[in-house]
Amino acid sequence: AGGYNHGDIQYLRHTAADSNNLIYWKETKNFADGCSAHIKDSSYTNGAMALPDHDTFIIENTSLEKVHMEANHHCHVGTTGVLCMPTYILHDVVWKGGKYPGYPLVKWQNGGDAVGDQRHGGIFTLSPSTTKTAFFPDGYRSLVSDKFGYLLNYGVGNQSCMNAEQEVFEDSILCKVPLRALRIYSHGLSVSGSTPVMIVQ
């Protein structure tokens, strides 16, 4: 189930099981009302969830069991893969455990024409008001690719961020704080080495 370009479309009470494409979603947008979830009151079991690669994608009151979530799955692929920096907001999402055979729960896309760190963009984070936190280990609220290794130095001594268990969150870092993306757009620059260095402090 799914499609390429979805606007203000919500999967409500969607149930999918035993499929390599429980959900397949290439591109989306933030809802016009600013708060609606893209997936709500749904259930996914034993299969892969291919998630979009830009904007804020909200999953609400949904259960997951034996799933493999492909973050950023269409990053920079062909003419339809785009910004490669989604934020997946999880509100009352429960992972009931289990693994889709041969895959971790979360994996960052590693294919297509993406170069540099493009394919490693994306953030999974709990909503501020969520009451269910079983998606992450106790006390942790966000997940990013391990390409953002500087986060391991945040809050030294308090384990604010740590390397995640490889078999569950592949090549990832877990953090106890909410993470958000800061996007800065440019024109005519390349990641081939000519791009100026910018330091944000």
Side-chain angles (χ1 to χ4, degrees):
Y4 277 43
N5 300 287
H6 287 175
D8 287 10
I9 292 178
Q10 180 184 81
Y11 282 77
L12 179 64
R13 293 185 294 276
H14 180 220
T15 298
D18 304 326
S19 172
N20 194 40
N21 287 305
L22 298 172
I23 194 76
Y24 185 91
W25 206 321
K26 285 190 175 181
E27 298 179 23
T28 188
K29 60 181 285 291
N30 299 348
F31 270 81
D33 66 9
C35 63
S36 289
H38 298 80
I39 296 175
K40 184 177 181 180
D41 301 341
S42 298
S43 176
Y44 298 95
T45 306
N46 196 39
M49 301 177 68
L51 302 177
D53 55 6
H54 66 109
D55 289 319
T56 299
F57 188 82
I58 302 174
I59 304 176
E60 179 180 347
N61 193 35
T62 293
S63 68
L64 310 172
E65 185 173 7
K66 296 181 181 177
V67 299
H68 167 59
M69 304 181 83
E70 298 177 5
N72 231 6
H73 94 105
H74 200 60
C75 172
H76 212 281
V77 175
T79 58
T80 54
V82 286
L83 297 179
C84 307
M85 193 62 194
T87 298
Y88 305 111
I89 302 289
L90 309 176
H91 179 75
D92 290 348
V93 172
V94 174
W95 177 44
K96 294 183 175 180
K99 292 175 60 179
Y100 186 44
Y103 295 94
L105 172 59
V106 171
K107 180 178 175 66
W108 308 97
Q109 173 65 13
N110 191 24
D113 301 320
V115 294
D117 288 339
Q118 289 176 320
R119 65 177 69 93
H120 304 292
I123 299 169
F124 284 88
T125 190
L126 302 181
S127 74
S129 59
T130 190
T131 59
K132 299 174 183 177
T133 59
F135 188 84
F136 296 134
D138 188 44
Y140 289 88
R141 302 192 62 84
S142 299
L143 181 82
V144 294
S145 165
D146 64 6
K147 292 295 180 181
F148 302 98
Y150 60 86
L151 290 170
L152 296 174
N153 297 321
Y154 176 77
V156 175
N158 299 319
Q159 272 197 313
S160 294
C161 295
M162 71 172 187
N163 287 308
E165 182 182 348
Q166 184 75 358
E167 292 185 0
V168 180
F169 304 108
E170 185 172 294
D171 300 332
S172 298
I173 292 173
L174 281 161
C175 292
K176 292 181 178 179
V177 294
L179 298 178
R180 299 292 184 267
L182 170 64
R183 298 177 178 89
I184 299 175
Y185 299 95
S186 62
H187 178 71
L189 297 179
S190 167
V191 295
S192 62
S194 60
T195 305
V197 175
M198 181 180 67
I199 298 176
V200 178
Q201 295 181 330

